Amino acid sequence: MPGNDHLQGERKLRVMVDPGLPSEVAAALAVDRLPRLLHQHVASGTWRVEVEARTLPLDENGVLPLLRLAGDRTEDNTDLLVYLTDLPRGSVVRPVLADISTRRRAALVSLPATGSFRLRRHLGQALLHVAYRLHHGHGRNVARSGAGKEGEAEVPRPQRLRRAPATWGWPLKEVFSGEEGIDTSLVLTGWRGRTRLLCGMVRTNRPWRLVPHLASATAAAAATAAFGIFYSSIWQMADALSVARLVLITVLSLAGMVSWLLFYNHLWDSPHGHRAPQDTVLYNASTLITLALGVGCMYLLLYALTLLAGLVVIDAGFLQSKLGHPAGLGDYATLAWLACSMGTVAGALGSSLDSETAVRQATYSRREQERQARNQAEARAEETHALTHGATKDDDP
């Protein structure tokens, strides 16, 4: 019976991870938290969690093959095997958290599906959820016991868990997979599930990396913002503008830089390579939000530096003589506000000097870069084929 766990010996959970964020989060969990949770909720005894950073190639469909992954464990005594990837799985209609093969005791978990906040906690819950099913063989015969007409059933709460993790509160549904060797897939449902996936994709892209990678854009923005500190006409203009107009200028400058980065560097995803148009919308939304957050981080950093420089460089008495009224901290803040908005517009143009490769590396995770490169290669191949085929037709008598 599944409940008769061995009390002797050591059990092992091998977690293979994509390099980058999955590796960092999994390594932090493996030290203490995950072995303790496995002991408490899956099976009593000693658990050893091994984390191995390894990049598996995508198959011809652009996905990670679980069975090929499971086939690599013939030479070791791994009890359970999980591959953690930063590549989204499934579609926007049915985003996949995990694919499970109880016969192979292997699973494939998508990190973006765990969301964006409290990442270690949520990933730990997901791994615990999957480990329970692999260890106890849950779902091996579920397909015989009352699947709906569409082959779906709500994920049941395991009765053997001593303390049910918060994972069970996720918007999850168990779907019987049609892929060979995979029993079930855990998918996110409803708008909550899609929102969780979108936020997770943005978190995996790590928007804050955009600032150090856009060296030319940052330099151009800083130089233009510094220009506003040294010219009294900019001081008077900032003093004359209303807060509403300053907000509008800021929004337009941020939108301009995001749009420039998006289209100049060909980051807008085409429908090619997606199973449904909704998937294109999801990927483009994650790119747009990533860029917006990255540019927002740059703006805040630039504002702080400009305000500090203004306080150091501009004497309060001299500023007062130019504005015609007593100058306070609010005047310095308004001046830095307008100067930063001007600098952001210049930064968009300065980003043209940064290579497209650098922008992509700053915007996307490694797996997302691989997916986009694959789509672009397929698109070029189709264009070449279409041109060749068209030329052949034109040559026909």
Side-chain angles (χ1 to χ4, degrees):
M1 295 177 62
N4 296 330
D5 299 322
H6 298 289
L7 298 180
Q8 302 296 329
E10 182 183 74
R11 297 179 176 85
K12 183 171 72 172
L13 171 62
R14 184 182 177 196
V15 184
M16 298 171 61
V17 295
D18 282 339
L21 184 61
S23 178
E24 295 172 9
V25 180
L29 280 172
V31 175
D32 175 64
R33 178 177 174 81
L34 191 54
R36 176 166 43 86
L37 291 175
L38 290 168
H39 167 75
Q40 293 174 350
H41 298 294
V42 177
S44 300
T46 302
W47 281 88
R48 179 161 55 96
V49 179
E50 294 183 352
V51 178
E52 175 188 349
R54 179 177 177 186
T55 302
L56 289 182
L58 303 180
D59 65 11
E60 62 277 4
N61 297 317
V63 297
L64 287 167
L66 178 60
L67 294 185
R68 184 188 306 171
L69 166 68
D72 291 341
R73 51 194 295 249
T74 55
E75 300 300 328
D76 59 35
N77 61 346
T78 300
D79 289 333
L80 307 177
L81 177 65
V82 175
Y83 192 97
L84 177 64
T85 178
D86 59 16
L87 189 69
R89 302 275 297 170
S91 65
V92 66
V93 177
R94 201 165 67 175
V96 174
L97 171 65
D99 291 318
I100 300 174
S101 174
T102 53
R103 182 170 61 87
R104 299 289 186 103
R105 290 179 300 157
L108 182 61
V109 175
S110 173
L111 182 63
T114 62
S116 58
F117 300 105
R118 306 175 71 182
L119 200 55
R120 292 183 186 178
R121 174 182 174 85
H122 290 163
L123 178 60
Q125 293 168 348
L127 292 176
L128 185 61
H129 193 143
V130 168
Y132 181 90
R133 277 163 167 70
L134 294 179
H135 182 77
H136 294 280
H138 179 81
R140 187 174 298 171
N141 299 315
V142 172
R144 304 177 185 175
S145 58
K149 292 183 179 180
E150 298 182 356
E152 297 183 354
E154 295 295 333
V155 176
R157 183 191 300 268
Q159 299 299 318
R160 300 184 185 87
L161 292 182
R162 300 180 181 89
R163 186 189 311 161
T167 310
W168 317 133
W170 288 17
L172 281 179
K173 182 177 290 186
E174 186 171 332
V175 176
F176 304 108
S177 175
E179 295 184 46
E180 180 183 358
I182 299 178
D183 304 318
T184 58
S185 296
L186 299 178
V187 302
L188 301 173
T189 60
W191 67 267
R192 288 177 57 207
R194 290 188 288 272
T195 302
R196 181 185 289 271
L197 176 63
L198 177 60
C199 293
M201 291 172 66
V202 174
R203 174 66 174 83
T204 304
N205 288 338
R206 293 185 281 186
W208 56 88
R209 298 185 307 165
L210 197 65
V211 179
H213 280 77
L214 295 179
S216 299
T218 304
T224 306
F227 172 84
I229 296 177
F230 294 103
Y231 284 84
S232 59
S233 58
I234 304 297
W235 309 350
Q236 295 167 345
M237 184 184 299
D239 185 60
L241 291 175
S242 65
V243 173
R245 190 173 292 272
L246 284 169
V247 170
L248 178 61
I249 293 172
T250 301
V251 171
L252 291 177
S253 65
L254 293 174
M257 185 168 186
V258 169
S259 300
W260 184 272
L261 289 171
L262 188 66
F263 293 107
Y264 184 82
N265 295 283
H266 308 97
L267 302 182
W268 191 255
D269 216 356
S270 67
H272 178 83
H274 296 289
R275 290 186 291 270
Q278 299 96 319
D279 294 339
T280 305
V281 174
L282 178 69
Y283 281 104
N284 285 330
S286 69
T287 300
L288 189 62
I289 296 173
T290 299
L291 288 175
L293 292 176
V295 172
C297 290
M298 188 187 75
Y299 187 91
L300 293 176
L301 177 61
L302 185 63
Y303 179 82
L305 294 176
T306 305
L307 178 60
L308 178 61
L311 290 170
V312 172
V313 172
I314 304 173
D315 179 75
F318 185 62
L319 179 61
Q320 176 179 330
S321 67
K322 293 296 182 180
L323 299 182
H325 60 76
L329 182 60
D331 297 293
Y332 284 97
T334 303
L335 167 61
W337 191 354
L338 179 60
C340 282
S341 297
M342 295 171 54
T344 302
V345 175
L349 300 177
S351 67
S352 304
L353 301 177
D354 293 304
S355 68
E356 183 176 332
T357 301
V359 176
R360 287 183 175 274
Q361 289 176 346
T363 306
Y364 297 127
S365 65
R366 181 174 301 188
R367 281 296 188 184
E368 180 60 15
Q369 294 176 49
E370 184 179 352
R371 184 194 67 82
Q372 290 218 352
R374 183 185 184 89
N375 285 348
Q376 289 179 353
E378 291 179 355
R380 286 193 296 268
E382 288 188 2
E383 289 177 2
T384 302
H385 176 75
L387 290 173
T388 305
H389 186 66
T392 304
K393 282 189 174 182
D394 292 339
D395 293 339
D396 290 341

